[in-house]
């Protein structure tokens, strides 16, 4: 009983205890998961239990606070519901749960978007595969189209090649047609001339025919007539054959003149093509860098231009060779005719003394007797004039000239050698031929049958064949063909090759050939220039112009015996173009020529350039004669040509034209508008001049240009002061060089000049300095100077080197400085417009400049390199074919 009551009491206490209460509350919360309500209950339990823990209550309170801070965040939340309203802090796990819930929502959205993207990607991938299939099909179509394009391009290239070939054939046919037309016209002209000559000769021979008919009638047999008077011979007068020879000589000379005229036409056509070719090269700016994209395209253009030039050159050489062959034949024929005429004159019989009165009376009685005996009384024949009766003992003499030399030009003398041409011996069968006038082995006078056998000596290695030498007495020919009062006095026999004409005769004929090109208005002036005086053309009486243009002709006669019988007149533009191309040739030689090639004067380089241009020696001298004639003719009216002429004769050094070209570069850079621009220009190019000299130079230009300005006028003024030797840099450099002239006053050798240049122009082009000195030294040898050069010429060289050194600086600033000086003068009100109109020149043609000439030189060099490379390739191909 007691036990049961105690048990019930304890159970009742346990049911009413706090522990059981809180245990029940916790179990009612469900599973042990953190939630805000559970945490509130937990902390409530802790708060309720802390008061029952005794000494542990404080510790448990501290633990409770720590756990509260660890569980609850600083964020608050609340509720306004009807049951309860509260504000409490949010637990961390609630925040984490909300974050995770947000992330899960975002993740769900991303998953949905990813699914959409995957679907789109799948669609795109499918489209990509379809596109790849389409691309593959298109590529196949493109490859097929490319093959079609290649085939069409090949067809097009073949069509172009065929078109080009047809064009070439058409051009060749046109040229052949033009040549044929020209030849036919020449033939028509020749036939007309021959027809006129034949008609003249017929009219001339009618008289002789009538006399011959009378003579024939006189020699007819008539019965009953006395035949005793016909026993004597009459000798024909040689004057008839003499006139025939002179007529043939005239015809030969006329044909030679026509051939020379055709030759001039060929040279003129070649020059026109060369000018077109030069213009094409000058208008192109070729790059010298092989890495440039346009380099190989330019190489193709150069190759094409060179092939066209090669075709024209080969045609020109063939035409010239044909002309030379015809000229040699006609000249040989002329020489043979002159030889026959000489022989005729030397063997002319003496004129017998006139008959006495008794002999004339006897002859008259005999004639009357013949008439009485029944012979018809015929008229005296014209051929009987000059006929003399001959004695019976001389009746067997040949009435014609026995020693005809018309076939001697086909004769030859032969020599043999048994030691490779060191010694020569005559053929044993060689004999003197009276018709040829000397010993011959083969000639038409010795051929007795259809063949002739010649026995060669033992060990014969070489055979030499020589034509007979022509020996003509030129004095006799001139006396025959220039007899006053005779019909033949108008014939002029030019000295043939190998003739022994005197130097004075050659000089006069050379002068006449040059003067034949010059108009009547300037003949006296040019004649004075060609005289042997020392007065230069266009130079006045300046002391530095010591040589005249006659020196060019003296040098020409020393180089060759060829004479210009029919000159070819060059226009002013053609002359300037040739000078420009020659300048380009010299500038390129300065940059690329090797020392082993030697150093020559400007005049020697001119002949070398002309030989390179015309390729044939005789044409070279003929064309050079034409150029020199044009220089003499135009030197008084053109400063560029005048300077060129004085450089050739040696009055100026070759550095002068280089100096002028370099100054022309500066002149081209300036925009010339006012006369005062010249003052600013000279201040830049002559920085060493004082103010007074600048003012004097400005006044000189104003007077020279008549208060007008243009780049042509400035360039002409520059050449004007050079010709007058008033160029400031030349004068300044000469005064400074004189101080280094130690060995001989007024002259310097190479060592002295090198030392002077090292002091005056310390950073100069060493190669240019050497070449220019040696060029001046070579020209000085014409004045009998050895290893020395006058200081005046060296001053021009040093001036060019000094200007070349500062040229880049001047080019960069000259245009801006002149423009700024003009603007400053206008702003200050110092420059007023000139009276009577603008101060600027009306015309301003292009001038030769260093840049333009060098560009032409580079283009020509590229063309030569292309020619050389093609020749090497052809040689290698031919060598390769020869090995097989």
């Amino acid at each position: 009983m007691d036990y049961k009551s105690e048990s019930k009491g304890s159970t009742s206490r346990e049911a009413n205890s706090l522990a059981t209460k809180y245990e029940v509350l916790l179990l009612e919360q469900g599973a042990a998961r953190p939630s805000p309500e559970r945490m509130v209950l937990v902390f409530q339990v802790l708060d309720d239990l802390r008061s029952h823990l005794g000494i542990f209550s404080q510790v448990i309170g501290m633990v409770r606070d720590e756990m509260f801070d660890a569980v609850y965040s600083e964020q608050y939340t609340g509720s306004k519901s009807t049951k309860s309203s509260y504000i409490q802090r949010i637990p961390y796990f609630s925040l984490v749960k909300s974050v995770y819930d947000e992330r899960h929502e975002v993740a769900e959205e991303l998953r949905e978007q990813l699914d959409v993207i995957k679907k789109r990607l799948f669609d795109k991938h499918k489209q990509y595969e379809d596109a790849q299939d389409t691309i593959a099909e298109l590529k196949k179509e493109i490859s097929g189209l490319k093959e079609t394009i290649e085939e069409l391009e090949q067809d097009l290239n073949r069509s172009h090649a065929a078109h080009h070939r047809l064009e070439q054939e058409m051009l060749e046919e046109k040229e052949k047609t033009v040549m044929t037309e020209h030849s036919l016209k020449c033939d028509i002209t020749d036939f007309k001339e021959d027809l006129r000559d034949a008609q003249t000769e017929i009219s001339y021979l009618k008289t002789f025919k009538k006399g011959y008919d009378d003579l024939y009638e006189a020699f007819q047999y008539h019965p009953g007539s006395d035949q005793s008077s016909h026993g004597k011979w009459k000798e024909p007068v040689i004057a008839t054959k003499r006139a025939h020879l002179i007529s043939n000589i005239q015809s030969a000379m006329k044909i030679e003149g026509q051939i020379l005229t055709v030759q001039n036409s060929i040279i003129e056509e070649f020059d026109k093509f060369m000018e077109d070719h030069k213009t094409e090269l000058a208008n192109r700016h070729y790059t010298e860098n092989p890495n440039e994209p346009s380099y190989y395209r330019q190489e193709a253009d150069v190759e094409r231009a060179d092939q066209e030039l090669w075709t024209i050159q080969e045609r020109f050489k063939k035409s010239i060779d044909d002309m030379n062959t015809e000229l040699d034949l006609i000249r040989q024929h002329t020489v043979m005719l002159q030889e026959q005429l000489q022989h005729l004159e030397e063997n002319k019989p003496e004129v017998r003394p006139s008959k006495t009165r008794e002999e004339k009376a006897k002859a008259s009685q005999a004639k009357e007797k013949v008439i009485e005996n029944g012979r018809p009384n015929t008229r005296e024949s014209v051929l009987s004039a000059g006929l003399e009766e001959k004695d019976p003992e001389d009746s067997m003499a040949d009435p014609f000239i026995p020693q005809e030399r018309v076939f001697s030009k086909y004769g030859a003398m032969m020599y043999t050698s048994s030691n490779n041409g060191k010694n020569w011996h005559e053929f044993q069968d060689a004999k003197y031929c009276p018709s040829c006038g000397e010993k011959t082995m083969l000639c038409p006078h010795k051929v007795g049958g259809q063949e002739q056998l010649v026995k060669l000596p033992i060990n014969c290695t070489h055979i030499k064949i020589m034509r007979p030498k022509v020996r003509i007495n030129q004095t006799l020919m001139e006396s025959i063909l220039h007899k006053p009062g005779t019909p033949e006095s108008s014939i002029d026999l030019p000295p043939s090759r190998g003739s022994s004409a005197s130097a004075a005769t050659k000089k006069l004929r050379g002068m006449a050939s040059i003067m034949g090109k010059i108009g009547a208005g300037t003949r006296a002036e040019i004649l004075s220039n060609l005289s042997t005086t020392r007065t230069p053309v266009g130079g006045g009486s300046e002391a530095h112009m010591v040589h005249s243009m006659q020196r060019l002709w003296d040098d020409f006669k020393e180089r060759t015996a060829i004479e210009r019988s029919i000159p070819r007149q060059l226009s002013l533009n053609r002359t300037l173009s040739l000078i420009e191309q020659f300048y380009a040739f010299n500038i390129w030689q300065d940059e690329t020529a090797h020392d082993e090639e030697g150093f020559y004067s400007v005049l020697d380089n001119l002949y070398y350039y002309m030989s390179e241009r015309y390729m044939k020696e005789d044409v070279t001298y003929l064309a050079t004669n034409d150029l020199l004639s044009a220089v003499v003719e135009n030197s008084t009216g053109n400063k560029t040509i005048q300077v060129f002429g004085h450089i050739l004769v040696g009055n100026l050094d070759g550095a002068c034209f280089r100096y002028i070209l370099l100054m022309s570069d500066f002149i081209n850079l300036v925009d010339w508008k006012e006369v005062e621009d010249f003052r600013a220009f000279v201040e830049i190019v002559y920085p060493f001049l004082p103010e007074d000299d600048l003012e004097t130079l400005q006044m000189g230009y104003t007077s020279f240009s008549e208060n007008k300005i243009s780049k042509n006028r400035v360039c002409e003024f520059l050449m004007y002061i050079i010709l007058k030797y008033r160029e400031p840099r030349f004068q300044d450099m000469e005064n400074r060089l004189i101080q280094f002239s130690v060995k001989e006053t007024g002259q310097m050798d190479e060592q002295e000049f090198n030392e002077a240049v090292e002091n005056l122009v310390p950073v100069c082009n060493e190669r240019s300095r050497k070449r220019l000195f040696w060029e001046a030294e070579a020209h000085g040898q014409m004045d009998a100077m050895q290893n020395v050069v006058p200081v005046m010429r060296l001053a021009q060289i040093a001036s060019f080197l000094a200007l070349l050194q500062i040229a880049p600086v001047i080019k960069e600033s000259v245009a801006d400085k002149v423009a700024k000086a003009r603007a400053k003068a206008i702003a200050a009100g110092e420059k007023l417009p000139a009276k009577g109109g603008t101060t600027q020149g009306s015309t301003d043609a292009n001038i030769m400049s260093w840049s333009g000439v060098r560009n032409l030189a580079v283009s020509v060099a590229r063309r030569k390199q292309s020619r050389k490379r093609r020749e090497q390739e052809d040689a290698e191909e031919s060598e390769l074919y020869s090995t097989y």
Side-chain angles (χ1 to χ4, degrees):
M1 189 72 183
D2 293 335
Y3 172 75
K4 289 182 180 181
S5 61
E6 288 179 1
S7 176
K8 289 182 182 178
S10 60
T11 303
S12 150
R13 286 195 300 271
E14 290 177 359
N16 294 325
S17 66
L18 290 174
T20 304
K21 178 184 177 180
Y22 291 134
E23 184 178 357
V24 172
L25 290 174
L26 290 174
L27 291 174
E28 288 177 354
Q29 292 295 326
R33 293 180 180 178
S35 63
E37 292 81 6
R38 192 178 186 86
M39 289 298 103
V40 171
L41 179 61
V42 169
F43 281 102
Q44 184 180 357
V45 171
L46 288 176
D47 290 337
D48 293 340
L49 290 178
R50 188 175 60 173
S51 61
H52 299 284
L53 294 179
I55 61 175
F56 295 101
S57 61
Q58 187 175 357
V59 175
I60 293 302
M62 294 175 62
V63 171
R64 183 260 180 196
D65 294 336
E66 291 293 333
M67 291 178 63
F68 185 83
D69 292 336
V71 172
Y72 287 95
S73 66
E74 296 298 329
Q75 297 182 9
Y76 291 87
T77 184
S79 175
K80 294 183 180 180
S81 63
T82 55
K83 293 180 179 181
S84 63
S85 61
Y86 60 88
I87 297 175
Q88 66 178 10
R89 295 169 68 177
I90 302 173
Y92 282 109
F93 60 83
S94 297
L95 293 176
V96 172
K97 184 179 180 182
S98 64
V99 170
Y100 273 102
D101 292 340
E102 291 177 358
R103 288 183 179 177
H104 287 317
E105 292 177 359
V106 173
E108 288 297 330
E109 293 178 358
L110 292 176
R111 285 190 188 94
E112 293 176 358
Q113 294 178 2
L114 182 60
D115 293 337
V116 174
I117 291 173
K118 284 182 178 179
K119 184 178 180 181
R120 291 179 180 176
L121 182 61
F122 177 77
D123 295 337
K124 294 292 183 183
H125 184 70
K126 187 176 181 180
Q127 292 177 3
Y128 174 71
E129 290 178 350
D130 296 338
Q132 281 187 333
D133 295 337
T134 306
I135 289 171
E137 293 177 358
L138 292 176
K139 283 183 177 179
K140 290 180 180 179
E141 292 180 3
I142 289 172
S143 61
L145 293 174
K146 284 184 177 180
E147 293 177 356
T148 306
I149 290 172
E150 290 178 356
E151 293 176 357
L152 293 176
E153 285 181 348
Q154 292 177 358
D155 295 339
L156 182 62
N157 291 333
R158 286 193 292 268
S159 300
H160 282 317
H163 179 69
H164 182 68
R165 185 178 65 256
L166 292 175
E167 282 185 346
Q168 292 293 331
E169 292 177 357
M170 184 179 68
L171 291 176
E172 292 177 359
E173 291 297 330
K174 284 184 178 179
E175 292 175 357
K176 290 180 181 178
T177 305
V178 171
M179 293 297 294
T180 305
E181 182 183 1
H182 179 73
S183 176
L184 293 175
K185 287 182 178 179
C186 293
D187 292 341
I188 291 172
T189 305
D190 295 339
F191 289 150
K192 288 181 178 179
E193 292 289 336
D194 294 341
L195 179 60
R196 284 195 293 268
D197 294 340
Q199 290 175 350
T200 304
E201 188 175 2
I202 288 173
S203 62
Y204 175 70
L205 294 176
K206 280 182 179 179
T207 308
F208 295 96
K209 183 178 183 303
K210 184 177 183 306
Y212 175 78
D213 293 339
D214 294 342
L215 184 62
Y216 177 79
E217 182 67 23
F219 277 86
Q220 292 298 316
Y221 173 76
H222 296 278
S225 61
D226 187 6
Q227 302 294 330
S228 61
S229 61
H230 299 283
K232 296 183 179 181
W233 290 83
K234 289 188 177 181
E235 183 180 12
V237 180
I238 303 177
T240 302
K241 178 162 185 155
R242 179 174 179 273
H244 184 66
L245 288 175
I246 293 175
S247 176
N248 289 341
I249 292 173
Q250 281 182 322
S251 301
M253 292 174 62
K254 187 180 296 183
I255 295 173
E256 180 181 358
Q258 293 173 351
I259 295 175
L260 291 175
T261 303
V262 175
Q263 186 184 55
N264 285 346
S265 301
I266 295 173
I267 298 174
E268 181 66 23
E269 291 177 2
F270 179 73
D271 273 347
K272 288 181 180 178
F273 175 82
M274 292 297 292
E275 289 303 310
D276 296 338
H277 180 72
K278 171 248 180 182
T279 303
E280 180 182 0
L281 294 180
N283 292 334
R284 296 181 180 271
H285 296 277
Y286 294 109
T287 178
E288 300 179 26
N289 186 8
N291 297 324
E292 290 287 337
S294 60
Y295 180 82
Y296 294 100
R297 185 173 67 254
Q298 293 175 358
E299 280 292 315
D301 294 339
V302 171
E303 181 76 15
R304 177 191 55 76
D306 183 65
Q307 287 180 353
E308 291 180 1
L309 177 62
W310 180 82
T311 303
I312 297 298
Q313 286 178 338
E314 292 299 319
R315 190 179 305 155
F316 173 73
K317 289 191 291 186
K318 184 179 182 302
S319 300
I320 292 299
D321 289 338
D322 295 340
M323 291 293 104
N324 288 338
T325 302
E326 295 296 331
L327 283 174
D328 289 339
L329 291 176
I330 196 65
R331 284 169 179 166
Q332 183 71 16
H333 183 66
T334 305
V335 169
M336 292 301 122
L337 292 175
Q338 291 178 1
E339 188 181 10
Q340 293 180 42
L341 182 61
Q342 175 182 340
H343 184 78
L344 182 65
E345 290 295 323
E346 291 175 353
N347 294 278
K348 184 169 64 175
E350 297 181 358
V351 180
R352 295 184 180 182
S354 58
K355 296 181 179 181
T356 60
R357 291 183 179 179
E358 297 179 356
E359 293 175 345
K360 290 180 179 180
K362 291 181 180 179
S364 177
Q365 292 176 2
K367 184 176 180 181
E368 292 175 357
K369 184 177 181 181
V370 170
I371 294 173
E372 291 174 357
N373 291 333
R375 181 176 177 174
N377 189 8
T378 58
R379 231 175 3 168
E380 186 69 20
S381 172
V382 179
L383 287 177
S384 63
L387 295 177
E388 301 294 339
E389 293 184 358
K390 202 169 184 181
D391 295 333
E393 59 268 21
D394 296 333
S395 60
M396 298 305 294
D398 191 353
F400 301 101
I401 304 301
Q403 307 298 335
E404 291 287 351
R405 301 192 182 185
V406 68
F407 297 112
S408 62
K409 60 183 177 181
Y410 303 108
M413 181 60 189
M414 301 178 65
Y415 301 86
T416 61
S417 174
S418 58
N419 54 1
N420 295 322
K422 295 181 180 179
N423 298 320
W424 298 95
H425 305 283
E426 294 181 352
F427 268 81
Q428 296 180 357
D429 297 336
K431 296 180 181 179
Y432 179 80
C433 177
S435 296
C436 296
E438 61 181 66
K439 184 180 290 187
T440 59
M441 178 65 192
L442 299 173
C443 69
H445 311 97
K446 292 183 178 180
V447 179
Q450 295 184 353
E451 61 182 18
Q452 182 177 1
L453 298 179
V454 179
K455 183 179 180 181
L456 296 177
I458 301 174
N459 299 327
C460 178
T461 60
H462 291 77
I463 298 176
K464 180 170 68 174
I465 302 175
M466 293 183 63
R467 300 283 296 276
K469 295 181 180 179
V470 179
R471 298 179 176 86
I472 297 177
N473 189 340
Q474 192 69 22
T475 305
L476 177 61
M477 289 293 101
E478 292 181 356
S479 64
I480 295 172
L481 299 175
H482 292 81
K483 280 185 178 181
T486 61
E488 299 83 13
S489 60
S490 61
I491 299 177
D492 185 13
L493 284 177
S496 60
R497 297 181 181 179
S499 62
S500 58
S502 63
T505 305
K506 289 183 179 180
K507 179 178 178 180
L508 292 175
R509 286 175 179 163
M511 297 274 288
S513 66
I514 296 167
M515 295 303 296
K517 297 171 54 178
I518 302 171
T522 58
R523 290 194 177 190
E525 182 179 0
I526 303 300
L527 184 59
S528 64
N529 296 331
L530 290 175
S531 64
T532 56
T533 60
R534 306 288 283 181
T535 304
V537 176
S541 58
E542 284 80 0
H544 62 280
M545 298 295 184
V546 296
H547 301 297
S548 69
M549 293 296 174
Q550 178 61 31
R551 194 177 199 188
L552 297 177
W553 307 119
D554 296 338
D555 176 80
F556 182 83
K557 293 169 187 174
E558 290 177 0
R559 294 176 187 269
T560 180
I562 297 177
E563 295 184 359
R564 194 64 158 128
S565 57
I566 300 180
R568 182 172 59 97
Q569 187 171 5
L570 300 181
S571 63
L572 179 62
N573 292 333
R574 178 72 58 79
T575 305
L576 291 174
S577 177
L578 286 173
I579 293 173
E580 181 182 7
Q581 295 175 65
F582 174 63
Y583 286 169
F585 170 80
N586 278 274
I587 290 175
W588 192 251
Q589 287 287 104
D590 294 343
E591 295 183 7
T592 61
H594 301 289
D595 296 346
E596 294 79 8
E597 297 177 4
F599 302 93
Y600 305 96
S601 64
V602 178
L603 193 56
D604 293 332
N605 288 334
L606 176 63
Y607 280 94
Y608 178 73
Y609 164 72
M610 297 296 282
S611 65
E612 189 180 76
R613 177 185 175 95
Y614 293 101
M615 300 165 288
K616 293 294 182 179
E617 183 180 1
D618 54 344
V619 181
T620 297
Y621 287 115
L622 296 177
T624 306
N625 187 292
D626 297 334
L627 177 60
L628 296 180
S629 301
V631 169
V632 173
E633 180 180 356
N634 297 308
S635 59
T636 55
N638 188 282
K639 297 295 182 194
T640 302
I641 298 178
Q642 188 175 357
V643 170
F644 178 68
H646 284 297
I647 291 173
L648 292 181
V649 300
N651 291 329
L652 296 174
D653 189 76
C656 278
F657 78 81
R658 299 174 173 90
Y659 182 85
I660 293 172
L661 291 176
L662 199 55
M663 289 287 285
S664 299
D665 254 5
F666 309 151
I667 295 172
N668 273 332
L669 294 174
V670 178
D671 184 15
W672 301 96
K673 294 183 178 180
E674 303 291 343
V675 177
E676 289 298 324
D677 293 346
F678 180 80
R679 173 63 178 269
F681 178 76
V682 296
E683 288 179 356
I684 300 169
V685 297
Y686 301 122
F688 53 87
L689 282 183
E691 189 69 22
D692 294 341
D693 291 343
L694 290 174
E695 187 67 27
T696 303
L697 200 60
Q698 169 70 11
M699 294 175 61
Y701 172 76
T702 305
S703 175
F704 175 82
S705 65
E706 298 177 353
N707 201 25
K708 294 182 179 180
I709 191 73
S710 68
K711 60 183 180 182
N712 278 294
R713 296 177 187 274
V714 176
C715 187
E716 287 181 0
F717 179 72
L718 173 64
M719 291 184 282
Y720 170 76
I721 60 177
I722 288 176
L723 291 170
K724 295 292 183 180
Y725 207 72
R726 299 175 188 168
E727 214 281 335
R729 185 172 276 107
F730 288 1
Q731 294 178 344
D732 177 71
M733 195 62 69
E734 183 175 357
N735 294 331
R736 296 165 70 182
L737 283 176
I738 291 176
Q739 302 174 6
F740 296 90
S741 180
V742 179
K743 298 180 182 179
E744 189 172 353
T745 305
Q747 298 177 354
M748 298 177 70
D749 57 14
E750 186 177 3
Q751 182 179 359
E752 293 176 339
F753 181 64
N754 292 345
E755 294 176 357
V757 171
E758 288 176 359
N759 287 275
L760 300 177
V761 191
V763 187
C764 74
N765 191 325
E766 187 73 13
R767 178 186 179 87
S768 298
R769 178 183 59 77
K770 289 182 179 180
R771 287 194 62 84
L772 291 176
F773 180 85
W774 288 334
E775 181 183 282
E777 182 183 359
H779 215 134
Q781 293 177 2
M782 298 175 65
D783 298 324
M785 293 184 181
Q786 297 294 332
N787 301 324
V788 292
V789 179
V791 175
M792 186 185 73
R793 297 176 69 94
L794 295 178
Q796 300 165 16
I797 297 174
S799 298
F800 167 70
L801 295 175
L803 185 64
L804 187 64
Q805 179 180 343
I806 63 175
V809 178
I810 296 177
K811 287 182 178 180
E812 291 178 359
S813 60
V814 61
D816 294 337
K817 289 184 177 180
V818 172
K820 290 178 181 178
R822 184 193 311 126
K824 183 178 179 181
I826 293 175
E830 297 176 359
K831 181 72 183 73
L832 296 176
K835 294 181 179 180
T838 178
T839 59
Q840 190 175 4
S842 58
T843 59
D844 204 3
N846 294 328
I847 60 176
M848 282 189 232
S849 63
W850 182 272
S851 300
V853 172
R854 191 184 180 280
N855 178 64
L856 176 61
V858 171
S859 301
V860 174
R862 285 280 296 274
R863 178 183 58 76
K864 290 182 179 179
Q865 290 175 1
S866 177
R867 173 79 61 88
K868 186 177 180 180
R869 183 172 58 253
R870 191 170 68 254
E871 290 176 352
Q872 290 177 353
E873 292 174 356
D874 294 341
E876 291 175 358
E877 289 181 1
S878 61
E879 184 178 358
L880 181 63
Y881 291 149
S882 63
T883 56
Y884 290 108

